[in-house]
């Protein structure tokens, strides 16, 4: 068992914010004016990193304008109502995609932790290949529409970062909600950035009428400074949320090796790729060399091709290794490390905490939930601190913002002087 897992060195995060993302971000407040339900998609493997804080301001304003404070729980989703409501509909549902790629033991504790921390949101975990998940989400939307029978239709807007499964979800909801064969309405891709413009309205249900819009995936304009930004960028690149080619694959492989070790320090998922009897590894170069030999990826002279092995390792994790890593136990086998006082545990790539070996016998869902709530608190505190220190915007973007402000002031002064001359 690995008793110490060093954090890898990470590259400076790139910037990837094409013009269509900025355009949609500017459109969002106007779109929300005609939206009843926001489906905000995140990736279960990155339940915190896949939050796009650039949406928060517009979403909170939308709720306030419709009479919902930031801490107001959503009545139509969380509690039964006495009768149909005549007020404006304003529901925010956070859908975590790819639930089959995170350990099942953590889903309920994490849902409860989220419910305690974000009372204005409904949280839903789903996997697009599980029909019951899609049916449950479809019923959720239909029930919201039925609770407001005075409305002729329900309008849903789907938002989220690139490659979290927005288009795939809408195709699945359409297939479930409309009787008979329904052709695929939206193109999907394993690569980020396929959807570049707001879709036309898609009908998801006939009785009651439910329509939805698909939207372009929006990346953060600036991933952050120092280690915070570096780790955020690598995580998003690993789930293919950032355009291919912007990251060195060996750097991604190094971080992936680290995370798989944290998820299961006794028997990490990658061991099945290596010769039998190989112990867990910490050094990415040693790992990639062994993997290259096992896959017969050799250069001239029999030298292991670690670059090809890194590409293969990342693709393996995205396609099947994620399922293998999701089988990691809630606790490792402590008998493999007698004398250890604490252990590191992880769930997904965002949540990590220490476990006191002396309390391992009392490790249950309530304990896991408490640990997860502490992770959420740390995440929120770090986000506030990053915002306060200006870490959410690059120096280049800050210069552009100041330049635009200066131009705006100059135009205002020019207009004032022109108005004064005309008045004279």
């Amino acid at each position: 068992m690995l008793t110490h897992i060093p954090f890898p060195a990470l590259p400076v995060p790139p910037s990837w914010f094409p013009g269509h993302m900025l355009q949609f971000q500017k459109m969002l407040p106007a779109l929300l004016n005609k939206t009843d339900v926001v489906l905000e998609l995140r990736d279960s493997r990155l339940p915190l990193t896949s939050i796009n804080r650039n949406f928060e301001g517009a979403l909170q304003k939308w709720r306030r304008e419709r009479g919902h404070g930031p801490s107001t729980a959503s009545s139509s989703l969380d509690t039964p109502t006495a009768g149909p409501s005549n007020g404006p509909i304003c529901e925010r549902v956070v859908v975590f995609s790819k639930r089959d790629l995170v350990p099942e033991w953590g889903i309920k504790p994490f849902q409860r932790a989220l419910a305690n921390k974000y009372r204005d949101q409904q949280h839903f975990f789903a996997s697009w290949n599980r029909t019951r998940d899609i049916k449950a989400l479809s019923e959720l939307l239909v029930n919201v529409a039925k609770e407001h029978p005075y409305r002729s239709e329900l309008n849903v807007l789907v938002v989220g970062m690139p490659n979290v499964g927005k288009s795939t979800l809408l195709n699945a909801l359409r297939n479930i909600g409309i009787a008979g064969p329904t052709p695929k309405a939206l193109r999907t891709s394993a690569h980020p950035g396929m959807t570049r413009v707001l879709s036309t309205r898609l009908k998801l249900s006939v009785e009651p009428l439910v329509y939805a819009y698909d939207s372009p995936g929006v990346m953060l304009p600036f991933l952050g400074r120092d280690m915070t930004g570096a780790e955020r960028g690598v995580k998003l690149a690993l789930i293919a949320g950032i355009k291919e080619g912007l990251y060195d694959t060996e750097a991604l492989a190094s971080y992936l090796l680290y995370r798989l070790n944290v998820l299961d320090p006794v028997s990490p998922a990658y061991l099945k790729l290596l010769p039998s009897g190989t112990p867990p590894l910490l050094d990415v170069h040693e790992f990639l060399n062994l993997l290259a030999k096992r896959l017969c990826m050799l250069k001239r002279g029999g030298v292991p091709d670690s670059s090809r092995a890194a590409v293969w390792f990342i693709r393996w994790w995205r396609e099947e290794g994620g399922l293998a890593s999701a089988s990691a136990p809630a606790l490792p086998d402590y008998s493999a490390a007698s004398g250890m006082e604490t252990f590191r545990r992880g769930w997904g790539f965002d949540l990590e905490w220490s476990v006191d070996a002396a309390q391992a016998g009392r490790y249950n869902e309530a304990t896991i939930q408490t640990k997860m709530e502490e992770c959420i608190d740390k995440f929120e505190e770090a986000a506030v601190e990053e915002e306060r220190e200006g870490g959410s915007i690059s120096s280049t973007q800050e210069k552009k913002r100041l330049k635009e402000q200066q131009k705006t002031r100059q135009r205002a002064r020019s207009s004032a002087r022109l108005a004064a001359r005309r008045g004279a």
Side-chain angles (χ1 to χ4, degrees):
M1 175 178 176
L2 296 173
T3 56
H4 173 65
I5 305 173
F7 194 83
L10 300 178
V12 175
S15 176
W16 183 58
F17 195 69
H20 71 272
M21 295 184 181
L22 177 62
Q23 183 179 8
F24 174 74
Q25 192 167 295
K26 291 179 178 179
M27 290 170 54
L28 181 59
L31 290 171
L32 289 172
N33 289 335
K34 51 185 179 181
T35 295
D36 303 309
V37 178
V38 170
L39 289 186
E40 181 185 348
L41 263 64
R42 301 176 192 168
D43 192 298
S44 293
R45 297 165 294 180
L46 302 180
L48 303 178
T49 299
S50 56
I51 296 174
N52 192 327
R53 289 193 171 272
N54 288 336
F55 293 152
E56 283 302 309
L59 290 173
Q60 293 300 337
K61 181 181 179 183
W62 170 64
R63 288 183 60 79
R64 286 195 301 271
E65 289 176 346
R66 300 197 179 196
H68 293 260
S71 61
T72 304
S74 174
S75 61
S76 62
L77 292 176
D78 298 328
T79 57
T81 56
S85 169
N86 292 324
I89 309 174
C90 181
E91 307 292 1
R92 181 179 180 181
V93 184
V94 178
V95 181
F96 294 91
S97 64
K98 304 171 184 172
R99 67 170 291 167
D100 54 328
L101 300 182
V102 293
E104 189 69 26
W105 53 260
I107 290 180
K108 287 184 179 179
F110 189 60
Q111 282 181 309
R112 289 194 288 266
L114 290 171
N116 286 341
K117 299 297 179 181
Y118 307 104
R119 297 183 180 275
D120 61 333
Q121 304 169 10
Q122 171 83 348
H123 303 99
F124 191 94
F125 278 81
S127 180
W128 304 164
N129 57 8
R130 290 170 40 144
T131 304
R132 65 179 180 271
D133 289 348
I134 303 301
K135 282 184 177 179
L137 187 54
S138 177
E139 289 172 2
L140 186 152
L141 296 174
V142 166
N143 287 338
V144 173
K146 286 180 177 179
E147 289 174 4
H148 299 81
Y150 69 96
R151 294 290 300 271
S152 60
E153 62 189 37
L154 184 78
N155 288 297
V156 179
L157 177 64
V158 182
V159 299
M161 283 193 174
N163 211 33
V164 290
K166 298 183 295 297
S167 301
T168 304
L169 171 62
L170 284 176
N171 283 330
L173 286 172
R174 178 178 166 84
N175 187 53
I176 288 289
I178 298 179
T182 52
K184 187 176 178 180
L186 298 170
R187 294 173 62 200
T188 59
S189 172
H191 302 288
M194 170 63 75
T195 304
R196 299 179 66 86
V197 297
L198 190 73
S199 73
T200 55
R201 288 208 310 172
L202 299 176
K203 187 181 291 184
L204 301 185
S205 170
V206 177
E207 184 59 42
L209 272 174
V210 178
Y211 290 95
Y213 292 93
D214 190 17
S215 67
V218 178
M219 181 51 63
L220 297 171
F222 180 57
L223 291 171
R225 298 189 177 94
D226 303 324
M227 190 53 65
T228 299
E231 186 174 12
R232 183 181 289 139
V234 168
K235 286 179 178 179
L236 292 169
L238 277 172
I239 66 165
I242 292 179
K243 185 178 178 180
E244 291 281 351
L246 293 180
Y247 267 99
D248 173 67
T249 52
E250 291 194 31
L252 298 183
S254 177
Y255 186 79
L256 178 56
L257 183 72
Y258 164 78
R259 276 294 164 192
L260 293 180
N261 282 332
V262 170
L263 285 172
D264 190 349
V266 174
S267 183
Y270 62 78
L271 286 185
K272 64 176 62 179
L273 306 175
L274 302 177
S276 178
T278 303
L281 300 173
L282 295 174
D283 185 87
V284 69
H285 300 294
E286 181 184 3
F287 166 74
L288 292 176
N289 284 339
L290 275 175
L291 182 61
K293 290 176 183 178
R294 185 69 187 271
L295 300 173
C296 296
M297 293 181 175
L298 304 175
K299 300 178 183 178
R300 184 173 299 177
V303 177
D305 192 339
S306 59
S307 296
R308 283 181 61 198
V311 172
W312 189 94
F313 179 45
I314 294 165
R315 187 172 66 247
W316 165 82
W317 179 73
R318 290 173 180 168
E319 295 175 357
E320 57 180 289
L323 288 171
S325 64
S327 63
L331 277 180
D333 181 5
Y334 286 99
S335 63
S338 58
M340 289 296 297
E341 295 182 356
T342 59
F343 300 86
R344 297 298 288 171
R345 294 303 304 125
W347 187 77
F349 279 14
D350 278 346
L351 305 175
E352 185 179 347
W353 59 86
S354 294
V355 177
D356 188 340
Q359 299 177 346
R362 298 190 297 276
Y363 195 71
N364 52 31
E365 279 195 3
T367 306
I368 294 171
Q369 179 185 335
T370 299
K371 296 290 187 181
M372 288 179 164
E373 289 184 9
E374 291 172 358
C375 290
I376 294 172
D377 286 339
K378 289 178 182 177
F379 170 80
E380 289 293 342
E381 290 168 6
V384 170
E385 182 67 15
E386 185 179 29
E387 185 71 26
R388 186 181 65 81
E389 295 181 353
S392 61
I393 184 171
S394 69
S395 56
T396 301
Q397 291 166 344
E398 177 65 14
K399 289 177 183 177
K400 287 182 178 179
R401 186 180 67 84
L402 293 174
K403 192 172 182 179
E404 286 297 322
Q405 288 179 348
Q406 185 179 11
K407 287 181 178 179
T408 300
R409 289 194 294 267
Q410 289 174 346
R411 286 194 292 267
R413 286 195 293 267
S414 297
S415 298
R417 285 195 295 269
L418 181 60
R421 286 197 295 269
R422 286 175 176 173

